Amino acid sequence: MKLNNYINGQWGTDTGADYTAVKNPANGKTIADVRLSTADDVTQAVAAAKAAQKKWARVPAPKRADYLYEIGRIMIEKKEHLSQVLTKEMGKVIEEARGEVQEGIDMAYYMAGEGRRLFGETVPSELDNKFAMSVRAPIGVVGLITPWNFPVAIATWKSFPAIVAGNTFIWKPATETPMMAYEMALIFEEAGLPAGVANVVFGSGGTVGTAMIEHPDVRVVSFTGSTETGRRVAELGGRHLKKVSLEMGGKNAIIVMDDADIDLAVEGILWSAFGTAGQRCTACSRVIAHTDIKQELEQKLLEAMKGLTIGDGADESNKIGPVINAKSLEKISYYVNVGKEEGAKLLAGGNTLTEGHYTGGHYFEPTLFTDVAADSRLAQEEIFGPVISLIEISSLEEAIEVNNSVVYGLSSSIFSRDVNKIFQAQRDLDTGIVYVNAGTTGAEIHLPFGGTKGTGNGHRDSGVAALDVFTEWKSIYVDFSGKLQRAQIDNN
């Protein structure tokens, strides 16, 4: 199967194009070949999006929303098919894949509802016989760059608000997971989305992403990925005075206080740390444990980890799937060695799995370190794999200080029964998302998603806040006095 670009409502051909293999991380088998597009392909897509945008912007927002309702309906109809494809190309277990597709469905219906809102505001003018209001206006052509770990959910967080707000877009999916973009383009086509509104261009970030950011007709770039790449996107976008929305890395922590429900905390830690094989920007990679319950927590975590089954995500019995590729395995192994060299104590895991039914795949054991120094590399740097660092503290104030000591600020969590501690933590944890008596993952689509510090640049995906990325505020003054009135002058 060859995956070609979807531009201006048409599928490209493979004439003269270069391709790269898409492999199932569970077994290393090639499942498709994806086009490696050129800057000329981006230029073609931008031209199509620009030509379509003016007409699309004039479609009433409730009518634009009708397309999202139809997209959501088709996604419901194809939910199991989409989930199976997602697991095959990305590796996450099928239960999680179904949850991710459902997130996309939820986003379709939520953002469709914005078609009858897109609220601005009216305010009283300071002058007589004058009316003042603000409205949201579409920006134009937007560029979307999405990662491989949530190839459906994150794409819908970005594309659906762009659509309902009256923009057109070019979407560059990750080269590791292009099949989900192909499936979504088929859904856009089936839903009757006008040609040029949605365009998919496959290829590398260096070629396709750079061409998109540098193109003068792309007004907004929304990126999710590593902090290192996000900095380059911001730098390049800044030179061209583009609006750039970044959602990047995380080094998320779960605080377990001495009064916590330990069994509940263990459940939350396992789901947050090992779901999606730890390949979430919201994954728990640090557990900050009060000294009074540290030993009990360690033992219960070790016991619970024994029950985690690892294997092909398509097998319903498995709880943890593979990581995305060999490069990720190398990075995780590297950090395990770093942890050992720094003096952290390895309690479980730490190895790649290569034999038997793991042959050909990219599997890493769930790993637990204890006695980790809060300022160590293991506790400070993003690993993006199934590795937990357990850090001991003696007070809530110390726990909050440790939580906030990293360069990232995406998600944090506290397990406690003390309402005073909980409210203090909610206030003082320096992250964009805070969970209480739950893990660090599980965001809902109607609240803003994003973080502080090295995690982002102030914008948010999801919720009404996502509309701020894809709209401009326009202030409108209507003077019906029949004479010239000068604000701040004629009213004094």
Side-chain angles (χ1 to χ4, degrees):
M1 179 182 185
K2 285 192 173 181
L3 304 179
N4 283 295
N5 296 334
Y6 180 71
I7 298 174
N8 203 28
Q10 301 293 321
W11 292 97
T13 62
D14 57 5
T15 305
D18 292 329
Y19 291 81
T20 190
V22 181
K23 297 187 177 182
N24 184 337
N27 52 35
K29 294 180 180 178
T30 297
I31 52 178
D33 292 292
V34 63
R35 184 187 186 102
L36 293 175
S37 300
T38 66
D40 288 341
D41 295 315
V42 175
T43 298
Q44 181 185 352
V46 174
K50 184 178 180 181
Q53 196 273 326
K54 286 187 178 180
K55 185 175 180 181
W56 180 243
R58 293 192 182 104
V59 174
K63 298 297 183 184
R64 297 195 296 259
D66 286 343
Y67 289 96
L68 290 183
Y69 283 122
E70 180 63 7
I71 288 168
R73 185 197 66 78
I74 297 169
M75 289 181 72
I76 291 172
E77 190 178 89
K78 295 186 174 183
K79 180 177 178 179
E80 186 59 24
H81 168 70
L82 295 172
S83 303
Q84 294 290 340
V85 172
L86 199 165
T87 289
K88 183 183 291 186
E89 74 167 349
M90 187 271 153
K92 67 178 59 177
V93 297
I94 189 64
E95 179 184 40
E96 291 186 51
R98 291 177 184 130
E100 180 177 345
V101 174
Q102 184 61 50
E103 189 167 352
I105 293 167
D106 294 344
M107 184 58 76
Y109 283 92
Y110 177 81
M111 278 299 163
E114 287 303 315
R116 292 190 178 273
R117 291 186 290 265
L118 286 176
F119 293 143
E121 61 180 356
T122 60
V123 297
S125 172
E126 63 188 42
L127 294 166
D128 190 31
N129 293 320
K130 186 177 180 182
F131 182 81
M133 64 180 173
S134 63
V135 298
R136 289 186 184 271
I139 297 179
V141 178
V142 304
L144 312 177
I145 303 174
T146 58
W148 49 261
N149 60 334
F150 284 86
V152 175
I154 293 176
T156 63
W157 292 358
K158 300 177 187 296
S159 62
F160 292 174
I163 286 171
V164 79
N167 304 285
T168 56
F169 66 87
I170 297 94
W171 171 18
K172 192 211 87 65
T175 307
E176 294 87 351
T177 53
M179 293 179 71
M180 294 314 302
Y182 168 77
E183 294 289 343
M184 288 304 298
L186 289 175
I187 290 173
F188 295 152
E189 189 175 42
E190 184 177 344
L193 201 64
V197 173
N199 304 274
V200 179
V201 180
F202 298 112
S204 70
T207 299
V208 174
T210 299
M212 183 189 299
I213 298 166
E214 290 185 331
H215 199 292
D217 290 329
V218 175
R219 301 280 304 280
V220 181
V221 176
S222 181
F223 167 86
T224 296
S226 71
T227 298
E228 180 184 2
T229 303
R231 284 196 183 98
R232 293 199 295 268
V233 172
E235 290 167 1
L236 188 56
R239 288 194 215 116
H240 295 273
L241 297 178
K242 296 183 188 294
K243 180 188 282 190
V244 177
S245 172
L246 303 175
E247 199 284 295
M248 302 179 289
K251 191 68 178 176
N252 313 290
I254 291 177
I255 297 170
V256 185
M257 294 305 298
D258 53 337
D259 62 342
D261 181 332
I262 303 300
D263 292 330
L264 179 61
V266 167
E267 286 188 61
I269 292 166
L270 260 60
W271 169 241
S272 298
F274 302 135
T276 322
Q279 301 171 116
R280 298 167 171 153
C281 53
T282 56
C284 166
S285 59
R286 297 180 296 157
V287 173
I288 302 171
H290 193 279
T291 186
D292 290 349
I293 52 86
K294 174 179 176 283
Q295 186 173 359
E296 179 185 359
L297 180 64
E298 283 178 358
Q299 293 306 310
K300 288 191 172 183
L301 277 172
L302 286 170
E303 188 62 31
M305 286 170 64
K306 293 176 183 177
L308 296 175
T309 51
I310 308 168
D312 190 333
D315 184 338
E316 300 269 2
S317 67
N318 288 325
K319 298 300 182 184
I320 302 177
V323 299
I324 190 67
N325 53 32
K327 185 178 179 180
S328 289
L329 277 182
E330 292 172 5
K331 180 181 179 183
I332 298 165
S333 296
Y334 169 78
Y335 274 103
V336 168
N337 289 329
V338 166
K340 292 176 181 177
E341 291 170 1
E342 290 179 326
K345 183 179 179 181
L346 180 63
L347 293 181
N351 301 301
T352 57
L353 301 171
T354 58
E355 298 180 359
H357 65 274
Y358 300 120
T359 302
H362 308 298
Y363 296 93
F364 202 90
E365 290 179 319
T367 299
L368 175 62
F369 279 96
T370 192
D371 299 335
V372 178
D375 60 353
S376 65
R377 291 184 63 195
L378 192 65
Q380 291 285 318
E381 299 177 15
E382 187 175 39
I383 300 171
F384 226 61
V387 180
I388 297 173
S389 298
L390 201 152
I391 303 166
E392 184 176 353
I393 50 87
S394 58
S395 68
L396 176 62
E397 289 73 20
E398 184 184 2
I400 292 170
E401 183 179 352
V402 170
N403 180 90
N404 294 347
S405 68
V406 296
V407 298
Y408 304 102
L410 180 52
S411 184
S412 58
S413 161
I414 180 169
F415 281 83
S416 173
R417 293 185 174 98
D418 187 325
V419 67
N420 293 332
K421 291 177 182 176
I422 287 169
F423 272 86
Q424 182 180 343
Q426 288 176 200
R427 181 193 65 195
D428 294 342
L429 291 170
D430 187 10
T431 54
I433 305 168
V434 176
Y435 290 91
V436 175
N437 292 325
T440 55
T441 189
E444 299 183 32
I445 56 92
H446 44 288
L447 287 178
F449 182 94
T452 62
K453 300 186 292 187
T455 290
N457 65 339
H459 295 290
R460 293 292 185 266
D461 289 324
S462 256
V464 176
L467 294 170
D468 293 335
V469 177
F470 302 108
T471 56
E472 297 279 16
W473 283 109
K474 181 181 291 187
S475 297
I476 300 170
Y477 301 95
V478 181
D479 193 319
F480 52 97
S481 67
K483 61 182 179 181
L484 176 64
Q485 298 192 93
R486 299 170 298 173
Q488 293 91 40
I489 297 176
D490 293 337
N491 63 333
N492 289 311

